Amino acid sequence: MSDSVVRIGRELDLPVSAAPGGAWKAGPFTLRVHEGDLLVSGGGLRRMRFEG
């Protein structure tokens, strides 16, 4: 996922970089894959699940 961009909402595009523990950072958000789904935490979200 390096050199990628994550889009949150309609206009927030954030570059993604590696973070400890197999996670990724995108601005104030932490991204983690769990059981095939994407979990997003940060910016008022806690483990918001996007099914894969």
Side-chain angles (χ1 to χ4, degrees):
M1 198 183 265
S2 63
D3 298 327
S4 297
V5 173
V6 67
R7 174 172 279 169
I8 305 288
R10 292 183 177 190
E11 298 185 20
L12 182 59
D13 293 327
L14 300 168
V16 176
S17 60
W24 298 275
K25 292 293 284 180
F29 301 100
T30 300
L31 313 170
R32 182 180 318 274
V33 176
H34 178 72
E35 297 179 0
D37 296 337
L38 177 65
L39 301 180
V40 179
S41 298
L45 302 174
R46 182 169 179 184
R47 297 183 191 152
M48 183 171 190
R49 182 177 300 267
F50 293 88
E51 295 182 7

